[in-house]
mmCIF file of all heavy atoms in Angstrom:
data_model
loop_
_atom_site.group_PDB
_atom_site.id
_atom_site.type_symbol
_atom_site.label_atom_id
_atom_site.label_comp_id
_atom_site.label_asym_id
_atom_site.label_seq_id
_atom_site.Cartn_x
_atom_site.Cartn_y
_atom_site.Cartn_z
ATOM 1 N N PHE A 795 -32.890 31.264 -110.636
ATOM 2 C CA PHE A 795 -33.777 32.185 -111.348
ATOM 3 C C PHE A 795 -35.247 31.820 -111.205
ATOM 4 O O PHE A 795 -36.112 32.486 -111.774
ATOM 5 C CB PHE A 795 -33.383 32.270 -112.824
ATOM 6 C CG PHE A 795 -32.137 33.091 -113.038
ATOM 7 C CD1 PHE A 795 -30.900 32.490 -113.102
ATOM 8 C CD2 PHE A 795 -32.213 34.471 -113.121
ATOM 9 C CE1 PHE A 795 -29.750 33.245 -113.266
ATOM 10 C CE2 PHE A 795 -31.069 35.240 -113.281
ATOM 11 C CZ PHE A 795 -29.831 34.616 -113.363
ATOM 12 N N THR A 796 -35.536 30.735 -110.500
ATOM 13 C CA THR A 796 -36.950 30.423 -110.275
ATOM 14 C C THR A 796 -37.295 30.447 -108.783
ATOM 15 O O THR A 796 -38.339 30.942 -108.390
ATOM 16 C CB THR A 796 -37.337 29.032 -110.828
ATOM 17 O OG1 THR A 796 -36.459 28.054 -110.287
ATOM 18 C CG2 THR A 796 -37.272 29.015 -112.345
ATOM 19 N N LYS A 797 -36.377 29.945 -107.970
ATOM 20 C CA LYS A 797 -36.661 29.944 -106.541
ATOM 21 C C LYS A 797 -35.368 30.092 -105.729
ATOM 22 O O LYS A 797 -34.900 29.129 -105.122
ATOM 23 C CB LYS A 797 -37.377 28.649 -106.151
ATOM 24 C CG LYS A 797 -37.932 28.702 -104.740
ATOM 25 C CD LYS A 797 -38.589 27.405 -104.347
ATOM 26 C CE LYS A 797 -39.075 27.480 -102.912
ATOM 27 N NZ LYS A 797 -37.994 27.699 -101.951
ATOM 28 N N GLU A 804 -33.326 37.002 -104.555
ATOM 29 C CA GLU A 804 -34.651 37.196 -105.169
ATOM 30 C C GLU A 804 -34.819 38.645 -105.625
ATOM 31 O O GLU A 804 -35.229 38.921 -106.754
ATOM 32 C CB GLU A 804 -35.725 36.818 -104.132
ATOM 33 C CG GLU A 804 -37.119 37.332 -104.427
ATOM 34 C CD GLU A 804 -37.964 36.361 -105.228
ATOM 35 O OE1 GLU A 804 -37.772 35.158 -105.062
ATOM 36 O OE2 GLU A 804 -38.807 36.840 -106.010
ATOM 37 N N VAL A 807 -32.205 39.390 -108.677
ATOM 38 C CA VAL A 807 -32.507 38.803 -109.997
ATOM 39 C C VAL A 807 -33.840 39.307 -110.548
ATOM 40 O O VAL A 807 -34.055 39.316 -111.759
ATOM 41 C CB VAL A 807 -32.483 37.239 -109.994
ATOM 42 C CG1 VAL A 807 -31.119 36.716 -109.605
ATOM 43 C CG2 VAL A 807 -33.569 36.663 -109.116
ATOM 44 N N GLY A 809 -34.670 42.294 -110.398
ATOM 45 C CA GLY A 809 -34.445 43.679 -110.821
ATOM 46 C C GLY A 809 -34.973 44.696 -109.841
ATOM 47 O O GLY A 809 -35.221 45.839 -110.194
ATOM 48 N N THR B 332 -37.408 49.526 -108.009
ATOM 49 C CA THR B 332 -37.269 49.596 -109.467
ATOM 50 C C THR B 332 -38.373 48.757 -110.111
ATOM 51 O O THR B 332 -39.131 48.076 -109.442
ATOM 52 C CB THR B 332 -35.893 49.065 -109.909
ATOM 53 O OG1 THR B 332 -35.765 47.742 -109.418
ATOM 54 C CG2 THR B 332 -34.773 49.935 -109.387
ATOM 55 N N VAL B 404 -38.399 36.811 -113.419
ATOM 56 C CA VAL B 404 -37.714 35.664 -112.807
ATOM 57 C C VAL B 404 -38.182 35.493 -111.364
ATOM 58 O O VAL B 404 -38.919 36.315 -110.844
ATOM 59 C CB VAL B 404 -36.166 35.825 -112.819
ATOM 60 C CG1 VAL B 404 -35.638 35.828 -114.234
ATOM 61 C CG2 VAL B 404 -35.750 37.081 -112.103
ATOM 62 N N ALA B 405 -37.733 34.397 -110.759
ATOM 63 C CA ALA B 405 -37.991 34.086 -109.344
ATOM 64 C C ALA B 405 -39.500 34.140 -109.043
ATOM 65 O O ALA B 405 -40.292 33.584 -109.797
ATOM 66 C CB ALA B 405 -37.175 35.021 -108.447
ATOM 67 N N THR B 406 -39.897 34.820 -107.965
ATOM 68 C CA THR B 406 -41.313 34.814 -107.576
ATOM 69 C C THR B 406 -42.192 35.370 -108.685
ATOM 70 O O THR B 406 -43.291 34.871 -108.937
ATOM 71 C CB THR B 406 -41.515 35.637 -106.283
ATOM 72 O OG1 THR B 406 -40.717 35.061 -105.260
ATOM 73 C CG2 THR B 406 -42.969 35.611 -105.836
ATOM 74 N N ARG B 409 -42.769 32.686 -111.206
ATOM 75 C CA ARG B 409 -43.718 31.671 -110.709
ATOM 76 C C ARG B 409 -45.150 32.205 -110.787
ATOM 77 O O ARG B 409 -46.083 31.484 -111.146
ATOM 78 C CB ARG B 409 -43.369 31.268 -109.274
ATOM 79 C CG ARG B 409 -41.973 30.669 -109.125
ATOM 80 C CD ARG B 409 -41.882 29.781 -107.902
ATOM 81 N NE ARG B 409 -42.156 30.448 -106.662
ATOM 82 C CZ ARG B 409 -41.269 31.130 -105.943
ATOM 83 N NH1 ARG B 409 -40.020 31.242 -106.371
ATOM 84 N NH2 ARG B 409 -41.592 31.677 -104.804
ATOM 85 N N THR B 541 -44.463 28.440 -102.501
ATOM 86 C CA THR B 541 -43.352 27.562 -102.094
ATOM 87 C C THR B 541 -42.328 27.321 -103.200
ATOM 88 O O THR B 541 -41.211 26.918 -102.922
ATOM 89 C CB THR B 541 -43.887 26.175 -101.668
ATOM 90 O OG1 THR B 541 -44.462 25.531 -102.829
ATOM 91 C CG2 THR B 541 -44.959 26.302 -100.588
#
Side-chain angles (χ1 to χ4, degrees):
Chain A
F795 285 94
T796 54
K797 191 182 178 299
E804 163 91 32
V807 299
Chain B
T332 57
V404 295
T406 301
R409 300 204 300 275
T541 66

